[in-house]
């Protein structure tokens, strides 16, 4: 995937500004091809999961159906993300954009917790939510903000230790909502804290070398937060854990 990711990165970074028109066209073509190639197997996966979920291949327990439905939701979300990539590759102005609507960020956080709970449990990690019972609605792009929280929770699980904890908290303020994801993992060295949001940046430590990753996740997270006119910050203590906090405006319709 390395070369595909690099192409996508160059495509977004250059945004047609510093690249020649011909190079930009070629990159757009490649992104379109890659997106199309990703869509075909994803459609097969979604169809197979739907058949299973409908019970066409045998009866399911409630728990099995719940996990299948979560997988279908995620496959559909992935399809929408690929469509977004295709759209922006086809558009003249290739800068990525967001589609705002009013949605419940508390529901989004709960769905993510349900989706990732099994992955956390398999690693012996407790995933805990401090999410208000009251629905908090904000104006934003639901798929993109799902991607932000999912990425942060994925990292908090991935860079944790067995028997560790991950906490996802949501706090409503007058005009904003604060989402924080904290973990009890390996932490980030002070010198690296300012760089983890850079594209392809990965902390170089002997204990992280074996953990797979691209160094792209947090840069995408930061781009999405910026597109929402929000802010992201990180605090970390080596060998004790990290906390990422995202502050998002609630009422910005544009
Ligand atoms: P990836 O996880 O694919 O390497 P990211 O952009 O998501 O890429 O993260 C960049 C780097 O920041 C990671 O390689 C890791 O070194 C560090 N990092 C991110 N999240 C955490 C975390 N919760 N705890 C410790 N280190 C982290």
């Amino acid at each position: 995937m390395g070369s595909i990711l690099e192409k996508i990165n160059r495509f977004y970074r250059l945004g047609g500004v510093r690249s020649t028109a011909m190079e930009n066209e070629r990159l757009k073509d490649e992104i379109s091809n890659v997106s199309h190639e990703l869509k075909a197997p994803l459609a097969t996966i979604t169809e197979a999961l739907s058949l299973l979920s409908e019970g066409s291949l045998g009866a399911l327990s409630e728990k099995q159906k719940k996990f299948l439905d979560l997988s279908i939701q995620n496959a559909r979300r992935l399809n929408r993300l690929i469509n977004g990539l295709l759209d922006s590759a086809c558009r003249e102005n290739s800068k990525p954009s967001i589609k705002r609507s009013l949605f419940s960020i508390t529901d989004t956080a709960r769905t993510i917790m349900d989706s990732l709970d099994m992955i956390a449990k398999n690693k012996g990690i407790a995933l805990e939510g401090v999410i208000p019972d009251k629905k908090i609605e904000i104006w934003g792009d639901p798929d993109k903000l799902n991607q932000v929280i999912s990425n942060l929770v994925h990292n908090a699980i991935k860079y944790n230790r067995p028997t560790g904890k991950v906490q996802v908290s949501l706090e409503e303020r007058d005009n904003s909502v604060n989402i924080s994801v904290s973990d009890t993992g390996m932490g980030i060295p002070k010198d690296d804290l300012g760089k983890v949001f850079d594209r392809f940046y990965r902390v170089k430590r002997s204990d992280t070398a074996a953990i797979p990753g691209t160094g792209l996740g947090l840069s995408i997270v930061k781009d999405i937060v910026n597109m929402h006119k929000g802010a992201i910050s990180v605090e970390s203590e080596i060998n004790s854990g990290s906390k990422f906090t995202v502050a998002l405006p609630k009422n910005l319709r544009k």
Side-chain angles (χ1 to χ4, degrees):
M1 275 308 258
S3 66
I4 291 173
L5 289 173
E6 270 160 33
K7 276 170 196 158
I8 293 173
N9 175 42
R10 283 184 61 212
F11 173 71
Y12 280 129
R13 189 159 36 89
L14 296 173
V17 179
R18 278 187 286 140
S19 58
T20 63
M22 220 170 87
E23 188 185 7
N24 206 29
E25 275 315 303
R26 200 174 50 78
L27 281 170
K28 280 183 180 183
D29 280 351
E30 285 182 42
I31 304 280
S32 299
N33 290 344
V34 169
S35 304
H36 275 298
E37 276 168 41
L38 294 174
K39 277 175 73 87
L42 186 58
T44 315
I45 292 170
T46 315
E47 216 169 293
L49 291 174
S50 302
L51 274 176
L52 278 169
S53 164
E54 285 157 13
S56 311
L57 305 171
L60 296 170
S61 71
E62 215 173 287
K63 205 169 172 186
Q64 285 168 332
K65 175 144 175 58
K66 183 181 157 196
F67 277 102
L68 273 172
D69 289 343
L70 274 173
S71 307
I72 293 170
Q73 265 184 43
N74 278 306
R76 292 199 175 128
R77 192 164 65 81
L78 189 53
N79 190 51
R80 289 197 296 275
L81 290 170
I82 296 172
N83 283 341
L85 200 58
L86 253 174
D87 272 0
S88 48
C90 294
R91 245 184 284 124
E92 260 326 293
N93 171 7
S94 52
K95 285 268 178 217
S97 62
I98 53 169
K99 279 198 196 109
R100 286 190 197 257
S101 60
L102 187 65
F103 75 100
S104 162
I105 190 84
T106 33
D107 287 353
T108 301
R110 282 206 186 83
T111 308
I112 293 169
M113 307 269 303
D114 280 348
S115 303
L116 299 182
D117 193 49
M118 182 95 103
I119 297 177
K121 279 208 180 94
N122 277 339
K123 294 188 81 176
I125 290 164
L127 188 53
E128 185 186 293
V130 184
I131 301 170
D133 289 334
K134 176 186 163 239
K135 234 184 226 265
I136 303 175
E137 292 197 315
I138 68 166
W139 280 90
D141 187 318
D143 283 334
K144 294 230 158 62
L145 290 175
N146 184 313
Q147 202 180 344
V148 165
I149 306 174
S150 298
N151 251 310
L152 294 177
V153 178
H154 255 297
N155 278 351
I157 296 171
K158 193 161 86 167
Y159 298 105
N160 218 313
R161 55 177 164 78
T163 76
K165 248 176 63 175
V166 172
Q167 193 183 72
V168 181
S169 320
L170 240 92
E171 244 182 85
E172 188 173 22
R173 302 275 162 90
D174 283 347
N175 295 309
S176 62
V177 59
N178 275 4
I179 306 156
S180 59
V181 179
S182 55
D183 65 64
T184 54
M186 56 186 58
I188 301 168
K190 288 232 161 1
D191 286 349
D192 294 287
L193 270 182
K195 301 179 207 150
V196 290
F197 297 105
D198 293 351
R199 274 174 203 269
F200 299 111
Y201 191 82
R202 306 202 72 215
V203 176
K204 286 173 195 68
R205 268 178 59 164
S206 54
D207 49 357
T208 53
I211 302 175
T214 57
L216 258 181
L218 286 179
S219 69
I220 295 173
V221 162
K222 189 163 186 176
D223 284 347
I224 297 175
V225 172
N226 286 342
M227 283 189 261
H228 282 84
K229 300 196 169 63
I232 183 162
S233 58
V234 56
E235 302 156 52
S236 189
E237 187 89 27
I238 204 79
N239 296 329
S240 115
S242 309
K243 181 177 179 181
F244 287 82
T245 304
V246 175
L248 293 170
K250 273 193 309 193
N251 307 314
L252 269 190
R253 295 186 180 209
K254 277 193 183 159

